[in-house]
Amino acid sequence: MLTLRDFLVRGLLAGLLAGAAAFVVGYVVGEPPVAAAIALEEADGGHTHDTGEAHEEEDAEDAGTEVSRDLQSTLGLATGMLVLGTAMGGLAGIVTGLAVGRFGRASLRGTALAVAGAGFVTLYAVPFLIYPPNPPAVGDGNTIGYRTALYFAMLAISVLGAALAVSIGRNLSAKLGGWYAALAGVGIYLVVVLVALGVMPRYDEVPAEFPASLLYEFRLASVLTQVVLWGVIGVVLAELTHRLASARTPAKTPVASSTR
Amino acid sequence: MSHSTTAPGVLVELPKLSLRESWPWVLFAVLIALLAVYFVGAEQGATSVFAGNAVHEWVHDARHLLGFPCH
């Protein structure tokens, strides 16, 4: 019998490991395109921000650059990944704990993987479809407020759509059975997402001269980082909770071991 | 440990956790997660809780790679 605490603790642990893995991937495949984009930005006369100490004198009016690029790409990157990873892992743990037993005969491991997969899709992949990540040197600093609002609005729509889909899907399962209820739930989520993709404003701030291959390399690195983040959360959470449940089950259900 | 403790096809006991019991923890976890997302994803970009640029710069690369609008 697992408690919510068991799920939260293992989710946090899974998230911490996932953050570490995402840091490694981000550092290895993500930093080269980020560095290349910053180099372009500087060569271009550079606008204001985070180009390291080199620009301190010229950018005196711009709050200054307080963190060197060396720190940003190592400890800074690690901080962001570990904090976000641990937070998402904890959430995934709690959601998995509450989902167990509420979706028919889904196993503990299957539930953990499904929750992590849903996290990847709703919190990253769907917003990516309309507002894909951009490297430094792409994006007009004056529209950051607008773009941030759009991004978080899309995140909110995605999460609410997923919640709606799960809620309706569960209600339908008694009538339709698990399989068709799940299909209906996915269909509802798809409708919400497609409508949002059609309705939400779009923007394109990639400068015409920005290398397409570099943009691709950066976005691919971003996808890889998030795939690793959620993949590790799912697999580790599945493994740890399953082990714990297996360790605690025999005492309660002697029937299980009597077969052999 | 390495073997499953149940025969194939046998449903392991998977109890439902009570929503009534757990909602305060869920609420708290969601709020903490939102705070983490805010500081990694948006602080000193569109809005600032703290003056300056240090938080933005510290998490700059993670913010870009995780997909948040950065600047």
Side-chain angles (χ1 to χ4, degrees), chain A residues 111-231:
Chain A
T111 305
L113 285 181
V115 167
F120 175 78
V121 170
T122 54
L123 300 178
Y124 180 72
V126 161
F128 180 104
L129 291 178
I130 181 164
Y131 307 124
N134 283 325
V138 171
D140 173 3
N142 296 322
T143 61
I144 179 64
Y146 177 63
R147 286 181 287 115
T148 302
L150 288 181
Y151 191 79
F152 280 90
M154 191 62 208
L155 264 181
I157 291 170
S158 178
V159 169
L160 292 176
L164 183 75
V166 167
S167 159
I168 296 179
R170 284 196 64 224
N171 284 333
L172 288 175
S173 68
K175 205 186 297 172
L176 302 180
W179 169 246
Y180 291 106
L183 288 184
V186 170
I188 290 164
Y189 181 65
L190 275 179
V191 168
V192 171
V193 167
L194 289 173
V195 169
L197 291 181
V199 169
M200 295 286 283
R202 288 165 186 264
Y203 58 82
D204 177 9
E205 296 185 348
V206 182
E209 69 279 7
F210 193 87
S213 54
L214 181 55
L215 183 65
Y216 175 78
E217 195 190 338
F218 171 81
R219 287 179 178 172
L220 185 61
S222 172
V223 170
L224 284 175
T225 303
Q226 287 270 8
V227 165
V228 166
L229 186 80
W230 288 104

Side-chain angles (χ1 to χ4, degrees), chain A residues 1-2 4 31 49-50 64-67 69 72-73 76-77 79 98 101-102 124 133-134 136 147 151 218 222 226 256, chain B residues 5-6 14-17 19 22 26 29 33 37 46 53-54 56-58 60-62 64-71:
Chain A
M1 178 94 174
L2 301 185
L4 192 62
E31 282 301 332
H49 84 288
D50 45 46
T65 44
E66 297 156 47
V67 183
R69 280 297 310 150
Q72 287 183 26
S73 65
L77 179 66
T79 306
L98 293 177
R102 291 192 159 88
Y124 180 72
N134 283 325
R147 286 181 287 115
Y151 191 79
F218 171 81
S222 172
Q226 287 270 8
Chain B
T5 50
T6 49
L14 290 175
K16 285 186 201 175
L17 296 176
L19 289 177
S22 43
V26 175
V37 167
N53 221 10
H56 173 106
E57 289 181 14
W58 188 264
H60 172 265
D61 291 20
H64 272 287
L65 281 168
L66 289 168
F68 296 101
C70 196
H71 41 74

Side-chain angles (χ1 to χ4, degrees), chain A residues 256-257 259, chain B residues 4-11:
Chain A
S257 49
T259 49
Chain B
S4 175
T5 50
T6 49
V10 173
L11 203 59

